[in-house]
Amino acid sequence: MRALNHKLVRELWQLRGQALAIALVIGAGLAAVLMSISTLDSLQNTRAIYYRDYAFAEVFASLKRAPDSLRERIAAIPGVNQVNTRVWAPVTIEIAGFTDPISGLLVSAPRAGRADLNRLYLRAGRLMDPDRSDEIVIGDAFAEAHGFQPGDRLGVIIDGKRKQLRIVGIALSPEFIYQIGPGSIFPDFARFAVLWMAPDVLATAYDMDGAFNNVTLTLTHGANAADVIDELDTVLERYGGLSAYDREDQTSHRFLSEEFKQLEQMGRTFSVIFLGISAFLLNMVISRLINTQREEIATLKAFGYSNLAIGAHYAKLVVAIVLFGIVLGVIAGVWFGQGLSHIYMEYYRLPYLHYQLRPVIVLVATLVTASAALIGTLFALQRAVRLPPAQAMRPEPPPVYRATVVERLGVQRWLSQPSRMILRHIERRPLKAALSVIGIAFAGGIVISGTFFKDSIDFMVEAEFRLAQREDIAVTFTEATSYAALHELAALPGVTRVEPVRVVPVRLRHGHHVYRTSVQGLAPNADLHRSLDLNLQPLAFPPQGILLTEYLGTRLAIKPGDTLTIEVLDGSQPVREVPLVGLVQQYIGVGGYMDLDALNRLLREDRAVSGAFLAVDEADRETVYARLKTMPRIASVRVQENSIRNYYASIGDLLLTYTAFIAGLAGAITFGVVYNSARITLSERSRELASLRVLGFTRGEIAYILLGELALLTLAAIPLGFVVGRALSAHFVATIHQELFRVPLILEPDTYTLSAIVILISALVSGLIVRRRLDQLDLIAVLKTKE
Amino acid sequence: MSTPDSNNATHADIDADVVFHAHGITKIYPMGEVEVQALRGVDLDLHTGELIVLLGPSGSGKSTLLNILGGLDTPTAGCVLYRGRDLTRATERELTEYRRYHVGFVFQFYNLIPSLTARENVAVVTEIARKPMRPEEALELVGLGKRLDHFPAQLSGGEQQRVAIARAIAKNPEVLLCDEPTGALDSSTGIVVLEAIERINRELGTATAVITHNAGIALMADRVIHLGDGLITHVNINETRKAPHELTW
Ligand SMILES: Nc1ncnc2c1ncn2[C@@H]1O[C@H](COP(=O)(O)OP(=O)(O)O)[C@@H](O)[C@H]1O
Ligand SMILES: [Mg+2]
């Protein structure tokens, strides 16, 4: 067996180009899997540790105002473990030289010294001195966006009063991993801030001495959250409680969970596709590789080696290549996974990362990859050892060729002999040709599925921000108010149109399906902020009934004509029944829409609005921002243009980064497959080509025969790759159909072009390498040997 | 025809009758530590219309010599003049062109293109040659006029070898080089193949060199060059050539 091992090492060296390309396919497939799964695992793991170490609460409730003494009653609710009562207040922030409106959330800092809930992770500076009334700690995202350091000052408008505060610390909180301002669903670190103040100082500043308007708590082990929430709602009812909720409805947690779910589904889909495709390609490539060893196998058999010994020998060869690929894949997967996790951490404000790669994932991926390779080996070996050695060692009987279909169609006389060789070779082994085409097509398909998001996202943004939400500015009032507030806005210089909106937090119920969201009441003649029907046409609001986003319709299992129960979570918290009159297409976020008057009638309120959409002349924007800041009833101002930018800067960016990694790996796979096809074809045909060289064919002429075939297969694979890519993309779109956003299936020509380019470049580079090999064909050696 | 042992270079240069003039050919294959001396100074002339047989045991350097003459390999030392042109100084491109227009090869293992029919296997060469005969004509010459559209798989070994001969001569080469053309064939099939070679040489006047380790075949040659251990041991001149069907081995 010593000699066989020498053969193994020597053959590995001889096959190094192909071995490397196969390892590349394995490595890229594995890296895609490990990257996707480890990124998700790491983020989830980090979040869990962060939640635990910094005591993230489990139940949350807002209310108007309750005395501190109520705390004892809340703590006494069965199932409650720890209680934190506090004040939180929306504020407006001013930064010299930054004209865009900045909204903030000022929160009582958890009490130091005690093991309070939602503790802060201090990144720089210190916590505030409870006796100093001007000290705050600010969120690290906001600090980073504006370059704030401890010691800097910040102008904050609390309850209409302007205050200069001193930043003493920069911190993170498990409550605000995903940080978004009111009315947004994408983070805007420059225009939304979380600030912490010493509890007593904030209470005084906000006129809440001895009182609180927000409570968070943890549960004892085994307590039922729903029971605690019910009890808490009862306790808080008298104090203007807004219906308590658990983590699932806590903004940061919920968005994060949604993103994780999405990441998980993408990761799972990519894993299955990558693993499946690389296994398929591996199987194909390995079995062709073994086929080229037919003669050696026969010779070994002639020497008396058993089939088992021969099988073990080739299995070793394959395992060596596979192991190399796996090592490559694990290294790349960990590297990309850490890189991707850190990119995610830009958006998810986590204080640290506990990178996690579960060994079982590596194991499963390794097993799948190795079995695919070994099964390919086994089948090829079986074919090879079946022949009696004497027969296998003799020149293989020339395979039977026929004139091809193309030629029988009568174009024969246009084809040179080399062209006929290309066609017949393909037709002679249609299965092999088909497998090559399918392999390359799948590789090209993954490139499409990894890159189409860009087109879809552009389309989504176009639909959401240019067709539906066309306002320049969205204003939210501190509370529902009368129509009169709109006149004030309309009177601002440069404001060309004002449209009212009433946003009501609700719980929607249909049968046993429940969903917590909000309903927007819009004017029937709304032109700025519109809803689109399923064909993206602006929708006229019906005077009665409700419209739901299409996702919610599915989620609540409701169809137009059915009756929906609305539990209002605001004011007197009425419960109403309304008919569902239609579904709207909305790619980002979910919710319900009603005619504003109909909504107010439903609430039994009189023409109230909670916000407004404004169209503003470009030139007057900054003046308008400045004026809005000074208006006391305005809780927040959202500039639409920034929403679009934020979208691209956050989710869009993440998705694109992720898919760019994927596309790179897909490119590597494509190259591996194309290169191997070319190299194997070369080894299968080098004898024939060398004979032609002997007959006086030039290097270019024989290259035409070999590369012509490669080119033909590649060209056939490209359009098939488009079909595969579209199918894979459609599958993706279906799997990431979630609350945060739905991605429409949009494939622009540039995506197809990219896939074609990746394939063509792979083919070109492979072709050049093979061409170089062809130039070095040993003419004499080839003539000495038989097949 | 000049004398067989004429090896005077200046003579050969001006002798229009000499196809090859090889002088002092040495071929050393470096094999790591050791060197294999395949040829140790061989002098040889081949004349227009002549049929020679290179005879010698396996490993004596016959193929190496033929490959050098055919422009498939270059000698370590010595010179090979083909019609006065020095093949040892030719570039890769010139050698390709030389093989393309002047030399016909026949090999022990036929080396046909399996995906092409007999006619097309010949056409592969005629399409790139200067003044070729028609493929049908060439196949007619080797007695395969009725097998034009058969693929190699549909032909016997002897027939395949005759296709290879037709392919070699279809370009009307100046020289036909055959390396053990009957090596993979039984003797009766071998005779049919040799007849084809002999007929080409006779009818077209193509200078022909046939390698064999089979002494019986030598009788069909004008001259028999005996090789042993990289050297020409002696040369026999047959006063009369025997027809292949008279040979036995
Ligand atoms: N490519 C090569 N590398 C090393 N040695 C070679 C090579 N080709 C031939 N030889 C050696 O040169 C000698 C002559 O070989 P060859 O010309 O093929 O002999 P023949 O055709 O007479 O059987 C032999 O000893 C052979 O082993
Ligand atoms: Mg030989």
Side-chain angles (χ1 to χ4, degrees), chain A residues 436-508:
Chain A
S436 293
V437 170
I438 291 170
I440 300 171
F442 263 94
I446 333 183
V447 176
I448 291 182
S449 72
T451 47
F452 85 98
F453 280 101
K454 166 135 189 18
D455 297 337
S456 293
I457 285 171
D458 287 345
F459 181 87
M460 192 158 101
V461 166
E462 179 71 23
E464 285 300 297
F465 296 112
R466 310 255 182 253
L467 294 178
Q469 312 172 26
R470 308 192 302 161
E471 67 272 9
D472 296 319
I473 297 175
V475 170
T476 312
F477 300 128
T478 43
E479 55 193 342
T481 177
S482 77
Y483 260 53
L486 300 181
H487 301 314
E488 210 179 325
L489 294 174
L492 292 174
V495 172
T496 55
R497 191 179 169 91
V498 177
E499 287 178 7
V501 61
R502 173 83 201 261
V503 181
V504 184
V506 294
R507 196 181 288 127
L508 301 177

Side-chain angles (χ1 to χ4, degrees), chain A residues 351-549:
Chain A
Y352 40 68
L353 179 73
H354 284 272
Y355 183 76
Q356 190 186 37
L357 178 62
R358 280 179 289 155
V360 62
I361 303 293
V362 180
L363 196 73
V364 167
T366 302
L367 284 180
V368 170
T369 313
S371 353
L374 289 176
I375 289 170
T377 313
L378 196 72
F379 278 118
L381 275 179
Q382 238 178 20
R383 267 197 310 275
V385 297
R386 209 177 307 141
L387 280 178
Q391 195 178 331
M393 279 181 354
R394 295 242 330 260
E396 199 174 359
V400 181
Y401 283 88
R402 306 182 300 150
T404 60
V405 176
V406 184
E407 294 170 67
R408 273 175 265 142
L409 290 177
V411 291
Q412 183 157 14
R413 59 206 146 101
W414 309 111
L415 298 175
S416 66
Q417 303 310 325
S419 301
R420 288 181 206 189
M421 285 171 66
I422 293 174
L423 284 182
R424 287 183 194 168
H425 195 257
I426 290 173
E427 228 190 69
R428 166 87 214 316
R429 307 283 295 273
L431 190 68
K432 195 153 82 181
L435 282 180
S436 293
V437 170
I438 291 170
I440 300 171
F442 263 94
I446 333 183
V447 176
I448 291 182
S449 72
T451 47
F452 85 98
F453 280 101
K454 166 135 189 18
D455 297 337
S456 293
I457 285 171
D458 287 345
F459 181 87
M460 192 158 101
V461 166
E462 179 71 23
E464 285 300 297
F465 296 112
R466 310 255 182 253
L467 294 178
Q469 312 172 26
R470 308 192 302 161
E471 67 272 9
D472 296 319
I473 297 175
V475 170
T476 312
F477 300 128
T478 43
E479 55 193 342
T481 177
S482 77
Y483 260 53
L486 300 181
H487 301 314
E488 210 179 325
L489 294 174
L492 292 174
V495 172
T496 55
R497 191 179 169 91
V498 177
E499 287 178 7
V501 61
R502 173 83 201 261
V503 181
V504 184
V506 294
R507 196 181 288 127
L508 301 177
R509 197 180 286 280
H510 178 249
H512 60 277
H513 303 282
V514 188
Y515 195 89
R516 191 183 163 117
T517 178
S518 62
V519 172
Q520 289 193 23
L522 296 168
N525 61 346
D527 182 51
L528 295 178
H529 198 88
R530 312 184 293 190
S531 282
L532 306 175
D533 67 15
L534 299 179
N535 300 317
L536 299 181
Q537 294 306 308
L539 204 66
F541 280 107
Q544 242 94 44
I546 189 168
L547 299 169
L548 289 182
T549 52

Side-chain angles (χ1 to χ4, degrees), chain A residues 23-44:
Chain A
L24 197 67
V25 172
I26 298 173
L30 198 63
V33 173
L34 297 185
M35 173 186 84
S36 302
I37 297 181
S38 76
T39 298
L40 179 66
D41 282 349
S42 305
L43 290 173
Q44 279 180 328

Side-chain angles (χ1 to χ4, degrees), chain B residues 62-122:
Chain B
K62 308 181 295 288
S63 295
T64 305
L65 179 59
L66 200 77
N67 289 340
I68 289 172
L69 294 182
L72 285 173
D73 207 349
T74 46
T76 314
C79 74
V80 181
L81 298 182
Y82 168 75
R83 295 242 178 255
R85 273 183 285 160
D86 192 350
L87 292 184
T88 52
R89 295 223 190 87
T91 62
E92 164 66 33
R93 175 176 292 274
E94 286 164 349
L95 283 181
T96 299
E97 201 165 282
Y98 164 63
R99 292 198 301 270
R100 187 174 194 145
Y101 299 126
H102 304 282
V103 189
F105 279 107
V106 176
F107 304 101
Q108 180 176 2
F109 301 112
Y110 332 137
N111 293 64
L112 294 181
I113 313 290
S115 60
L116 298 181
T117 61
R119 188 208 309 260
E120 289 162 347
N121 259 288
V122 178

Side-chain angles (χ1 to χ4, degrees), chain A residues 212-245:
Chain A
F212 64 92
N213 68 359
N214 189 274
V215 55
T216 68
L217 48 86
T218 50
L219 303 172
T220 54
H221 190 72
N224 182 343
D227 293 346
V228 174
I229 286 171
D230 279 348
E231 193 63 31
L232 184 61
D233 281 344
T234 318
V235 172
L236 295 179
E237 200 176 347
R238 283 182 42 214
Y239 304 96
L242 283 184
S243 181
Y245 48 90

